[in-house]
Amino acid sequence: GAQIMLHSPGDESVVGKIENCEFFDVGQAFKLGRYPLHFHMVGTVTESYIKNNSIHQTYNRATTLHGVHYLEISGNVMYKAMGHTVVIEDAIETKNLIENNLVVDTRASNSLLNTDQIPACFWITNPDNIIRGNHCAGSARYGFWFDLQTTSTGPSFDSNICPENTKLGEFSGNVAH
């Protein structure tokens, strides 16, 4: 499956504007980091967004925010994804806007992290984000999962960041069936 990864050495050094596209049969199973749409360790991305796309029949999630801040993910329809569908990865990611998305039929995956065996439509590891107006239906396990850790994890590890004690940005108007 196809995948798009945006990666750069730092803040605003890459801009990704992904809008009005269809992504079908995407993502690579059994390969961490090979997600359909993946912003990876970029830092602040105030000019970037993922808007009004259709992402369906994926083999490895749908969208992943990894080491990014201020990314907008809005108005997307995500259907039949393997593993968590919208992922905030290392618990260092803050100030992202995840709004008015529809996620349907999130499926368990044995090819990713252990948590992907009991997946969520929205897997949230840092509460300092804006998550509003999203709808999810038909997840194999959870609609919205706040999986808060005592420190950030993975390549973003920082013992000074404590997601479980971080103030909630916004969580409103979300619905899970």
Side-chain angles (χ1 to χ4, degrees), residues 160-175:
N160 297 312
I161 295 175
C162 182
E164 71 179 3
N165 291 327
T166 299
K167 184 179 174 186
L168 180 64
E170 181 182 337
F171 187 85
S172 64
N174 298 295
V175 178

Side-chain angles (χ1 to χ4, degrees), residues 17-38:
K17 296 181 179 184
I18 303 168
E19 186 171 13
N20 299 320
C21 297
E22 178 184 18
F23 298 91
F24 172 73
D25 241 3
V26 291
Q28 298 173 4
F30 302 101
K31 294 182 181 177
L32 281 175
R34 299 301 182 242
Y35 317 121
L37 299 174
H38 184 188

Side-chain angles (χ1 to χ4, degrees), residues 80-100:
K80 205 188 285 187
M82 298 296 291
H84 305 302
T85 302
V86 177
V87 176
I88 298 175
E89 192 162 339
D90 279 357
I92 197 166
E93 301 81 8
T94 59
K95 310 293 189 231
N96 297 291
L97 172 62
I98 302 170
E99 181 176 48
N100 298 328

Side-chain angles (χ1 to χ4, degrees), residues 57-128:
Q57 195 166 320
T58 78
Y59 302 104
N60 195 341
R61 304 186 177 149
T63 61
T64 301
L65 293 73
H66 188 192
V68 298
H69 312 281
Y70 297 96
L71 178 64
E72 178 182 346
I73 299 177
S74 64
N76 299 287
V77 175
M78 299 168 232
Y79 171 68
K80 205 188 285 187
M82 298 296 291
H84 305 302
T85 302
V86 177
V87 176
I88 298 175
E89 192 162 339
D90 279 357
I92 197 166
E93 301 81 8
T94 59
K95 310 293 189 231
N96 297 291
L97 172 62
I98 302 170
E99 181 176 48
N100 298 328
N101 297 286
L102 172 63
V103 176
V104 180
D105 196 9
T106 296
R107 297 172 173 211
S109 174
N110 295 320
S111 69
L112 302 170
L113 302 175
N114 287 338
T115 60
D116 288 289
Q117 295 175 24
I118 51 169
C121 294
F122 297 85
W123 191 54
I124 304 155
T125 57
N126 191 311
D128 187 14

